Structure formats: C-alpha cells, structure tokens
Amino acid sequence: MSLEPHELEELKLKIGRDPTSTELQIVAAEWSEHCSYKSSKKHLKILPMDGPLVINEKGYDSGVLDVGDGYVVTAHIESHNHPSAVEPYGGAATGVGGVIRDILSAGTRPIALLDGLRFGDIEKDQHAKWLFKNAVKGVADYGNCLGIPTIGGEVEFDECYANYAMVDVAAIGFGKKENLIKNHAKKGDLVVLMGGATGRDGIGGSQFASDSLESENRSAVQIPDPFIEKLIIEAILEARNEKLIHAMKDLGGGGLSCAVSETADALDIGIEMDVDNVHTRESDMHSDEIMVSESQERMLIITDSVKLVKFQDICNKFRIECSVIGHVTFDSKMHVKKDGKTIANISTDIVANATLLDLPSKKPKYLENIEEKKSFPVLSDYSEIMLKLLASPNIASKIWVYGQYDHEVGIRTVVKPGYDASVLRLDNGKFLSIKIDGNPKQCYINPREGAIGCFEEACRNVVCTGAKPIGMLDHLQFGNPKDPEIFWTFLESLKGLTDFAKDFEIPCIGGKVSLYNETPKGSIKPTPVIGVIGLIDKKPLRIQKINSGDCLIMIGNTKDELGGSEYSEYIHKFIGGKCPAVDFSESKKNMNAVLELVENELIKSAHDCSKGGLAVAVSELCMTNLVGCTVPLDDVPGDNLASDEILFSESHSRYLVTFEKKNIQNLEELLKKHNVSFKTIGEFGGESIQFTTDSKPVIDLSVDKAQKTWLNSLKEMVMHA
Amino acid sequence: MGNYRVHVTIENKPGISDPEGKTILNDLVLKGTHQNVSKINTAKMLKFTITENTKESAQSKVQEICDELRIYNPMVSVVTIDAFDA
Amino acid sequence: MGNYRVHVTIENKPGISDPEGKTILNDLVLKGTHQNVSKINTAKMLKFTITENTKESAQSKVQEICDELRIYNPMVSVVTIDAFDA
Amino acid sequence: MNVGVVVFPGSNCDRDMFHVLSDVFHMTPQYCWHDKPLPENLDAVVLPGGFSYGDRLRAGVIAAHSPIIQDVKKIAEKGIPILGVCNGFQILVESGLLPGVLLKNDSLNFMCEWTNLTVENNKTPFTNKFELNEKIPIPIANGDGRYFVDDETLKQLERKNQIVFKYDQVVNGSSNQIAGVCNEDGNVVGMMPHPERAAEPEINPHDNKPSSLIFESLLQKIGANN
Ligand SMILES: Nc1ncnc2c1ncn2[C@@H]1O[C@H](COP(=O)(O)OP(=O)(O)O)[C@@H](O)[C@H]1O
Ligand SMILES: [Mg+2]
C-alpha cells in the first residue's frame, strides 16, 4: 500500500515534516479511491440530495428517509467486486456484511437486502459459472444466517465481466426516528472497538479495490462470520435502546484508519488511541497492520465511561469482544500510540480529505457510429427465437438464485421476489417497495440514456406495485478513471441520473462509486446500478391470478430501439443500434396513470416491459399464471415498426396491465384522462403464447413448454457442464 | 491398473480465521468440562476412489482434478492429498 | 503433560446417502474428462489441540468429548479419531 | 396464556414468532434467553427458527447443549406443549426430545419456497383444530430440512402416530416426505415449515387460515387445561 510520489509530497507539505510509517499507511488507506472518492467527489455534488423526506445527519453511512408516524427508513448500496472476483463466496458474503453495518450505524435494524450480480458468459465460461455459483452461495449463507431477507435483485451475464465479478448489495433499515444515533461526542468520551478480533485478513483491501486486478495473488480476502455479525446487530440495537451510544461507525475499507479519521473529522473532534488495546487474532501483528486491517464484523462506538459499563454488559451477554481503544480529544488530531509512544499524530482533516481530482474526460471513439441502426432479417416465425430468449441466462427466471435466499424472514415481505419490485410492510401500516436495476449493454451504447434507463426501469418496477418513488441509491461502477474516455462515460451517466432525479424530484439518498473495475481483457462496460425506494401510503397492489377472459392493456409507446437489447446481442451477437431513451414527460404521465389504476383497484397486476421487450413481458405473465394470450402486433402502440422491433425493442416507460374485462370502461376513461398512449392488446385464454400480424401467428409457443424452459434454464446451466 | 483411495483435506490457510472451529471450541467444548482443549480447526474432506496405474499417479490425478475443477480456492484454502491402496 | 493434535473425521455411516459427494462426482468430475473416478464421499474433520499426559489419553479424551457433546450424530455418522504428537 | 419463546445466539425468527403469538393470537409471549432458567409459569414453549450458533458443527447441536434445554426437557415430561420450528425442530431432534435427524436438503441448497402440508395427526396441542388430511400452504426456509429416520424407527413413528405433517410432494428428500413429528406423548412437536410466516393474510399469498389453526389449536389446548 503506498501513496503516489506527488501525494507523498503533498502530505509532507501539509504536515510540515516526513510522515511516520504508520501515518503513511493511514493516509494511503484513506486517500485511496475507495475511501476518498478523490476522482468522483467533485462531480457527485450535482446529484440532488435533499427532499422533504430526507433526514441529513453528520456521519451517516446510509441515507435516511422519514416515512411518517415517527418512523424512518435507511438505505445504502455497496459493491464488493474485486474481492468477489478472487473469492466469490467470501467476497459476496462480506459485501453483504459491510452494507448491513452501514444501516446499523444509523441506529436502525436492517430489514431487507437486494443483490445485483454480474459475471461473464456462464454458457461458455466455466470460471464465470464457478464465480456465479459461489457468489450466490455467499450472499445466501450470510443473509440467511442473519435473518435479514434478501427480497430482490438482479442477475446478468455479459462477456465484459469475463474473469471478473460484480457483486452489489443494497440494504434497507427501519426504526424509530427517536432512536437514530445522533453522532456526537464530547471530550473524554471513550472510543470502543467491538466485534471480531482484528487479524491479518483483508490487509490492504481498499487499496486493492482501487487498483485494477492484476493477479490472483493478493491476500486481501476476508473470511465471513455471519454469526458474529448477527450478535453485533442484536447487541448494538440493545445498546441503542438503552441510549448508550453517542456515535458509531462501522469498519469497512481502510479499517481503523478510515473509521477513526472519518469519525473524528465528521464530529470535529480528535481521537487518541493505542493500538495495544485493540483485540487482535494474532499476537505478532505490527501496529501498521492493525491500523489498516479490514477484518470484518467490527464496529467503532463512542460512549462515556458511565455508559461503558452497561455497554460491556451487553457485549458480555452476546459474548462479543470489545475493547476501549482510546478517547476523544479536542485537538482535531488522530493520535495513535503504541506502548505509550506516539506512532502517528496528524490532523484528521488532512487524513480524511484527500485532494480531489478533476480528471480529464473525452468522448470515447467507440461511440462515434455505435448507434447506427442495423436491420436484422425479417422472419415469418419467431417462435424458436422466442424460446431461445426465454432460456437465455439474462432472461430465464432467477428462481434458482432467489430460491436460495430466505426472503420471508422478518415477516414483512408482502410481494415476494419473482415479480417486479418487492414490497415490505412497515410498522406504521405503510409499505415500502424496492428494486435495483442496471443495464450495462445499454449504458455501453449510450452512457447517459442507459443510466437514465436504469433509473426509470427501477421506478417503473416500484410503480407497478403501487408505490411512489421517494428515494434513489446510485452505484456507479466503471473502469479506470484515469482513462479520459472511461471518465467521460462516468460523467455522462452521472449527468443523466442527475437530470432525471431533478425532473422527477426523487432525491439521491446514498450511493457508492466503484472505479478501476478492469478485467484481464480491459475495462468493464459502464455499470451504474440504481436502486429505487417507493412508498405506499395505503395498500400495495395485491397481485391476482390472471384467468382466461382477462384482458391486457399496454401503456406506452414502443419505439425503434433495439440497441443494447437481448435480441440484438444474444440472438444476433450485435452490439450497437439505437439505445432506448426515456421521454421524461411520457414517463411521468405513464407512472401517474399506473399509480392511479392501482389505487382505484381496477387491475389484477401491472408488469413493466424491460429485458426481452414486449414478447418476453407478455410471456412472463402467461408463464407465471399458466394461461395463454394472443396479441396482434398491429395493435401495439407505436408507429411503423418491423415485427422484431415491436416484439423485442426494450423501449422504456411501458407497462402491461391485466384486468377483468368488466373494468375496461373505467380503465380506459382513467387512462384517457391521463392522456397516455395505450391500447388493449390482448385477451388471455388458451394454452399458447401467440403474437400475430394480419391474424397470422409470428410466435406460437405452448405456455407449458415455455414455462418449463424459462424456469429451469438457469439451474441447468449452473449444475451441468 | 488398480483402485486407490485418495483423501483430499481442505482447510483454511494458516493465518486465516476459522469461525466454525472457534464456535465449536468456545460455545460447546469449553462450556463443558473440557478445559484442556486449546484449539479446534475445521476441515472438509473428500474421499475419492480412483482407478490408476500407481498410487503416485492416483495422487497426482486427484490433485489435478482439484485444481482444474476448483474443488478448493487457493486464495483461502490449502489442500493435503493422501493416497492409499484401496 | 504435552500437546497433542487429534483429528476427528466424521462421515456418513455406510448406507446413508451422501448427496454432496454424489453431486461432486456426477456434475463436476464425470462431466469433465475424469472418467476413472468411481466414487466420492465427503467427510468433515475437526482438528483438536489438547493437553494430555499421553497420546493415548489424548485420543480417548477426544473420543469422550465427541460422544458426550454429540460432535457426531451416531444415528447417521461414524467418527474416526487419530492422535498425533504436536 | 404464557408462552416462552426461547432465544439462542443466532435465533432469528424469535421476533416473528413473538409478533404472531402476541399481536395476532393475543397470547402473552415472553423471550427466554438461553442461559437463564426457564420461567416457572409457562403454559407452552416455542423454539423459533434461525441459525443458533451459526449452524456450526450441525444445525441445532450446540444449542441442544444449553442449560435451558434441560429445563425444556423437564417441562416436556409434564406434558406442557412445546413447538420447535425449523432450527427449533433441529434443536429438539439434537437434544433427543424428538426422534430422527435433519440432514442437508437433497438439492444441497438452502430452499425458500411455499409448499403444501398434509395433517397426519390431529391429536397434538398444535393440530387439534385440524381435520385429518387437511392441507396447509406454508413456506419452508432451510438448508438442512431433510428429515431422516431409519426404516425401523419410521415404522415405529407410524405405529405410534408420531408423524404430524407430511409434504404433499417430494421437497427435499425427507423420509416418507415427513415435515413434522411429535414425541410419543404428542406434546412436543417439531416442524420444518414456518407457521408464523403464514398466519396473516397480508403476507400469505394463498390462504392464512390453515396455518392459523396451529396457533388456535394451542389456544384451545391451553384453554382446556386452565
Ligand atoms: N440476484 C437476485 N437476488 C434476488 N432476487 C432476484 C435476483 N435476481 C432477480 N431477482 C428477482 O427476480 C425477479 C425478476 O428480476 P428481473 O428480471 O431483474 O426483473 P426486471 O426485469 O423487472 O428488472 C425480481 O423479483 C427480482 O427481484
Ligand atoms: Mg420488471
């Protein structure tokens, strides 16, 4: 772990002397990209972070939303890409653990998880399969053991992640507003480290996350211990109830170095600590190792000497080790001692605030002609292509994944995984709806429109449950920011997200930037992952079974936007074409219309059109309800499109709503009032999924066969070579 | 050609924590009357039966299988491979 | 008094199925190019470090612990216990 | 109606169970921490699900050695109703209160899904309000849910009417599709599926009435006792 030469010069200048070796380690950890956001911070400021429901407190690692009646929801998203790429099981598991502690830090109980997983081509690549299988197991073992339901997520495969793994985890917390930790400290308060012993595992992890992945031989792996994390959660919440915690922070990237310096900086205090007081796993650890170790399952607590006694009792009850490692001072310095001798003494604002960079950016060459349209051969029958898509890893049901996650524990999960967004009930009678979405194929073709599309898709999913989006989490994952072309894609995505957030008045309540995601073959595609949280004041849409005779309305226009679609890329192996773009005003109108449909209880279900387009979305309805449907393509709103464009284009802002025929008039009136583009495009019945033009079928698939293929395909791919 | 038994023992690298061993020691063994146990480490074992020419080739074949199929992850674990006559 | 390492290997009784071993064999090993493996059984191992007077007493002490604390479930598993000098 | 909810380090369905007992069925539950003696006045005891001691060594085995299990054994002998759900079932089995053992699912994976049970014994304190063969839609969530007994014990279980619930289909490879059993006296019942996740309409997409009967049976039983 080291600073770059000019950073070292800068450090010397700032402190007016040569740094000690410990100071060097501390600063290198804290000035790493992972901890300091030095490349991105300047730009992230454009995101709107305020809103009527947002509660901002210093030192929070998670966003806080007021959901009424004295309750708050917290949320955060993180990734664990580099560690998962070399040790998928432990990397994914500790990724879950880390984001949960961010939720806990605010004083709220973690109540749900979502995971976004991305790997190389599992159909061809054994290594990708190994990574995928073990990452899923890592998420499952950790979340299940804690009793925090994993209620949703996404899975995607793309060759750009060959030999790499993207593991994003979002966590949601819930609690009483009065129980939020206020993060304050006064002189003489004690600094306590609780949790697992500090060991050599994960040394240099945050630096590692900021470097590109050159060799497997980095010993930054961390061993997950969900059992101790569970005990930490219960102990902290008990201590919170007893009001024993003045301030709190979890130990993540950069270990003690970052936790201590950031806490001190955020609270405008100094902290003096002694490394000898840290409980370690091995007796011969060097003080520098102790300062930067990223051993998991640890929390930093600030309390006072009276409360400490009770706090220790709680730790004893749960058999968690805790040690008083230092105390609060008022000189704004991070003062580290060993054997009573100073080994580091440095202003926290120097440590915690790396000089921010303003990296150059340049529109990538590859984008010049990428949106040029390519027409694919027109077929008279797309049934086979359809079946192939349903079996494809990105479209096949993800039940093999979420079936391994306990998604019911906590008994809040009203809408379970397998639909669009999942819905949780809250203690105040309201409901929370959450989904995360990414789309690197579209973000590659158009970083701006692609990112907006992810945002809108997550909103769409939440809207389908009857929820109004109230907050957004962004996770911006890109390659090496020092490459101006890559940095340009980062900025474009960020600007797109900002525009959408402002226009729709959805504040960004948290996020994370992960850079240097490079594989042996080069940079990953731009991979922003967006989480949207929606609130339902009254009742969520209770999804009802679709029966023969029920009808289907399509809201929203289908456009000539096959770029980045599964059809283009999976079927035709073509990367390019026109990327779907969100029309803000159409998007807003459609959202409001769907929300009102749900509120008026006019519909049986609402489903968004996304991956695989209309053809896949209709099939999903048929397959989950085991009923056929016939859709004449000529009826689908949109102009002058070829059959494959209508079937497979992934245009945004589109919804499929199903309803009993008797409601048709009320429905149409309501939709007309909202002035949205819509049409009744089909009626359910029979045993096959049919699309027709001029009354001739272009797709005719048995529901039964389609369903079996769709449900089993992913599992088959994983289990069988 | 003969049948050989080959035992593969997979355990965490030295220095890497073993939470399971720790829990068994602290929450089970030391809570009883057995204070003279100072450490428990856990490992996983796979017992192969394989047809090969020699014990040595059986052993190296199994090593090859373990590496190729990623039966263990060298980032976290070490394996010990012992071959026996069946 | 001395330190001894005692290895406890827990495996299924004969006749009790071992789906994990079977899966590794069928879905991983036999799907590849390794047709000469005929069987894989999985086992779990606990490595004790214990202070005792003799290797024999270390071994019998660990046996006692295993029985008393149900380190293995006698309904489905058997244990093998081997003691070594530390 | 005092019901003890036993909590071990790593239990994670304790709060769910507590909520259902108190808010849905209006009993008076109390948490019982594993290293404290069991309170005297309990009318019933529930061992909820979770991962006691992180499922280390074997699911339920470390918790089965807790002092509180000695107390549970004592009141079990007095005929007080005891229910173990999921990890609670595993603990009851590991402590010898119930026969059999729970092995890794055939799929080798953790399984979280809805399934259907058939009631095979409606004489226990948790099933007295069911008709025989009544169906219960209910979720499972476990990694080690494959109930196993040898053939001889199986015959005995059948003869003594100790099989309480069976799965409607092959779910995880359990002997005879057994999902729940009781002791010879019938007052100690263990089951892998989670009735506390199915007793409220809001979170049960199928029908919450059958699962509710498990708790209503207990109410009826305790009511009759008092
Ligand atoms: N990694 C995962 N973990 C948990 N649930 C998942 C995961 N991947 C997909 N799902 C669930 O499967 C369903 C379909 O997911 P997805 O295809 O991403 O939906 P959409 O197309 O609406 O974004 C959703 O309910 C989603 O939450
Ligand atoms: Mg969707």
Side-chain angles (χ1 to χ4, degrees), chain A residues 419-421 435 437 457 460-461 464 607-610 620:
Chain A
Y419 301 97
D420 290 311
K435 182 72 171 89
D437 271 303
E457 186 183 343
R460 239 149 59 211
N461 281 313
C464 282
H607 183 37
D608 80 306
C609 271
S610 53
E620 283 170 345

Side-chain angles (χ1 to χ4, degrees), chain A residues 65-84:
Chain A
L65 287 166
D66 190 332
V67 290
D69 311 296
Y71 288 99
V72 294
V73 160
T74 53
H76 193 53
I77 189 164
E78 292 230 322
S79 62
H80 229 197
N81 303 338
H82 287 81
S84 302

Side-chain angles (χ1 to χ4, degrees), chain D residues 74-93:
Chain D
K74 277 186 212 132
I75 67 166
E77 264 166 37
K78 292 191 201 148
I80 287 182
I82 294 170
L83 175 68
V85 171
C86 200
N87 190 232
F89 184 17
Q90 292 163 336
I91 295 168
L92 290 176
V93 156

Side-chain angles (χ1 to χ4, degrees), chain A residues 114-117 150-155 394-396 398-399 401-402 405 416-422 435-437 457 461 607-608 610-611 620:
Chain A
L114 296 98
D115 63 327
L117 306 174
T150 304
I151 57 162
E154 33 152 24
V155 179
N394 287 341
I395 286 177
K398 305 301 182 286
I399 192 166
V401 178
Y402 63 76
Y405 300 157
K416 335 238 177 222
Y419 301 97
D420 290 311
S422 300
K435 182 72 171 89
I436 57 173
D437 271 303
E457 186 183 343
N461 281 313
H607 183 37
D608 80 306
S610 53
K611 270 204 166 29
E620 283 170 345

Side-chain angles (χ1 to χ4, degrees), chain A residues 267-531:
Chain A
L267 305 187
D268 262 327
I269 55 173
I271 288 178
E272 183 179 317
M273 61 165 285
D274 195 320
V275 287
D276 284 337
N277 294 334
V278 174
H279 54 282
T280 54
R281 203 164 54 236
E282 288 150 87
S283 52
D284 60 341
M285 281 179 73
H286 189 274
S287 40
D288 295 358
E289 289 179 315
I290 295 173
M291 288 310 293
V292 298
S293 157
E294 293 182 8
S295 287
Q296 297 290 299
E297 292 99 10
R298 297 180 299 163
M299 298 288 286
L300 192 75
I301 310 286
I302 297 187
T303 184
D304 65 31
S305 54
V306 178
K307 294 171 184 157
L308 175 70
V309 182
K310 273 190 168 174
F311 186 78
Q312 285 168 327
D313 284 346
I314 292 175
C315 287
N316 282 339
K317 170 180 169 189
F318 289 99
R319 290 166 58 84
I320 305 169
E321 286 181 272
C322 82
S323 33
V324 178
I325 60 167
H327 60 268
V328 171
T329 64
F330 259 153
D331 60 2
S332 297
K333 288 207 158 173
M334 173 173 179
H335 188 169
V336 186
K337 291 181 168 175
K338 176 176 172 57
D339 296 330
K341 284 205 285 290
T342 295
I343 53 173
N345 192 0
I346 183 165
S347 290
T348 57
D349 73 323
I350 296 179
V351 185
N353 298 294
T355 302
L356 302 184
L357 308 177
D358 198 354
L359 296 172
S361 70
K362 184 173 130 239
K363 184 170 180 180
K365 263 217 168 62
Y366 83 83
L367 285 176
E368 263 163 33
N369 301 316
I370 198 159
E371 296 207 54
E372 248 161 52
K373 185 173 157 182
K374 175 166 169 183
S375 296
F376 305 115
V378 178
L379 305 182
S380 56
D381 188 345
Y382 287 92
S383 303
E384 222 170 284
I385 285 183
M386 185 69 221
L387 200 62
K388 205 173 157 194
L389 275 176
L390 292 177
S392 71
N394 287 341
I395 286 177
S397 164
K398 305 301 182 286
I399 192 166
W400 182 81
V401 178
Y402 63 76
Q404 294 186 52
Y405 300 157
D406 190 342
H407 45 77
E408 308 261 1
V409 62
I411 50 174
R412 293 183 182 278
T413 320
V414 174
V415 177
K416 335 238 177 222
Y419 301 97
D420 290 311
S422 300
V423 177
L424 299 170
R425 58 175 177 176
L426 301 177
D427 300 13
N428 60 352
K430 296 183 182 177
F431 297 84
L432 209 62
S433 175
I434 312 136
K435 182 72 171 89
I436 57 173
D437 271 303
N439 194 326
K441 293 186 193 333
Q442 293 178 9
C443 291
Y444 179 75
I445 292 176
N446 189 327
R448 180 192 153 85
E449 295 301 342
I452 293 175
C454 301
F455 196 165
E456 208 242 5
E457 186 183 343
C459 288
R460 239 149 59 211
N461 281 313
V462 159
V463 163
C464 282
T465 66
K468 187 177 174 315
I470 56 166
M472 173 271 260
L473 298 166
D474 67 304
H475 192 355
L476 304 174
Q477 306 174 105
F478 293 81
N480 185 345
K482 300 209 169 115
D483 177 337
E485 297 199 337
I486 287 175
F487 200 61
W488 187 89
T489 64
F490 167 82
L491 292 177
E492 277 296 294
S493 296
L494 180 60
K495 286 178 199 155
L497 295 173
T498 305
D499 288 349
F500 190 88
K502 285 190 171 150
D503 203 81
F504 285 71
E505 293 176 32
I506 304 172
C508 168
I509 60 163
K512 178 91 204 158
V513 178
S514 166
L515 301 172
Y516 298 96
N517 291 289
E518 303 270 332
T519 78
K521 285 211 185 116
S523 170
I524 60 159
K525 290 179 179 173
T527 312
V529 169
I530 306 302

